[in-house]
Amino acid sequence: MAKGKTIKQVMTKGLLEKDLTEFERRFGLSSEEYYAQYLEGVVGDWISDQDAIWWAGTYECYSTMQQRFGQRGSMREIQISKLMSNPPPSQ
């Protein structure tokens, strides 16, 4: 899952899909449904702030990868930092 990963870590589409699937299993909601709620600001207390932000960020990276590479991107590695316009400050 997301614990222990950094924003600079190289990810593949498969790893992003794995994280999204885990969030969907844990919270019983599709990533698309969750992201729509997140953008509307209606995410409830059922999810921690850390999980909420990580799930939204993972979905954004996955969506960007799909747009840029489509099905060809499944084995192509790209850096998350290139996909995110405003990476969080390092801790």
Side-chain angles (χ1 to χ4, degrees):
M1 180 59 134
K3 291 186 178 185
K5 294 181 181 172
T6 66
I7 201 67
K8 293 179 183 177
Q9 185 175 16
V10 176
M11 301 283 288
T12 64
K13 181 180 165 190
L15 291 174
L16 293 171
E17 288 172 340
K18 182 180 175 186
D19 279 357
L20 292 174
T21 300
E22 177 62 19
F23 278 120
E24 291 169 353
R25 184 195 62 75
R26 281 179 56 202
F27 298 110
L29 194 65
S30 75
S31 292
E32 293 83 5
E33 292 170 315
Y34 167 74
Y35 192 69
Q37 290 181 14
Y38 179 83
L39 291 178
E40 292 174 13
V42 295
V43 175
D45 292 336
W46 51 268
I47 187 169
S48 71
D49 288 345
Q50 180 179 357
D51 281 340
I53 293 166
W54 193 269
W55 192 359
T58 301
Y59 183 75
E60 288 173 356
C61 290
Y62 178 81
S63 295
T64 300
M65 186 180 288
Q66 284 289 87
Q67 291 171 1
R68 288 185 181 182
F69 303 111
Q71 296 303 318
R72 297 181 306 114
S74 60
M75 297 305 292
R76 186 171 186 154
E77 293 184 346
I78 58 174
Q79 292 182 344
I80 288 181
S81 60
K82 290 182 181 178
L83 296 176
M84 299 190 69
S85 59
N86 295 315
S90 56
Q91 297 179 345

